[in-house]
Amino acid sequence: QVQLVESGGGLVQAGGSLRLSCAASGTFFRINDMGWYRQAPGKQRELVAIISRGGRINYADSVKGRFTISRDNAKNTVYLQMNSLKPEDTAVYYCNCNARIRSSSGSTNDYWGQGSQVTVSS
């Protein structure tokens, strides 16, 4: 099993920056993809960015050029650097990972962080 602990959320003015971190711990064989999702009031949860173990990255169109996802495999940690923040970025941000638990032939599961509130004021 995997536990994901997020940090770095908060309140900023438009144009400001925040950096989210998510550290994975527990008993697992290997973490595959790691990513960030967000959900604003009245809207569906959407993928913000995802990064594979090998470094392949995909971003939502709404954050391209402003957000940067990265990971440190040695620390089992994923980061989201958010620059030029807009009020439209206000949401709860959730860390996600897919992990193989037992061995190279074991099953995989998805795990979620507790959620971090990001509020961007105008």
Side-chain angles (χ1 to χ4, degrees):
Q1 296 183 341
V2 180
Q3 293 81 47
L4 299 176
V5 179
E6 304 177 22
S7 62
L11 172 65
V12 297
Q13 296 186 53
S17 298
L18 285 173
R19 188 189 189 219
L20 301 180
S21 298
C22 176
S25 63
T27 302
F28 53 86
F29 175 75
R30 189 171 188 169
I31 295 177
N32 300 316
D33 296 342
M34 302 187 80
W36 293 93
Y37 294 73
R38 68 185 182 186
Q39 187 165 24
K43 295 185 177 180
Q44 298 182 13
R45 184 175 298 186
E46 64 173 345
L47 175 68
V48 177
I50 189 167
I51 182 169
S52 73
R53 185 173 185 85
R56 184 175 63 255
I57 294 172
N58 284 295
Y59 293 103
D61 289 341
S62 59
V63 306
K64 287 182 179 178
R66 299 188 298 120
F67 291 10
T68 302
I69 189 171
S70 61
R71 66 187 288 175
D72 185 335
N73 290 336
K75 296 181 178 180
N76 294 315
T77 300
V78 64
Y79 308 92
L80 186 68
Q81 179 67 47
M82 303 182 291
N83 298 327
S84 301
L85 283 162
K86 305 175 181 179
E88 303 94 281
D89 296 317
T90 296
V92 177
Y93 285 69
Y94 296 92
C95 176
N96 169 269
C97 79
N98 178 265
R100 191 177 302 279
I101 303 303
R102 303 184 193 277
S103 69
S104 60
S105 61
S107 62
T108 61
N109 290 294
D110 283 286
Y111 299 89
W112 294 91
Q114 78 276 16
S116 299
Q117 178 67 51
V118 172
T119 301
V120 184
S121 64
S122 60

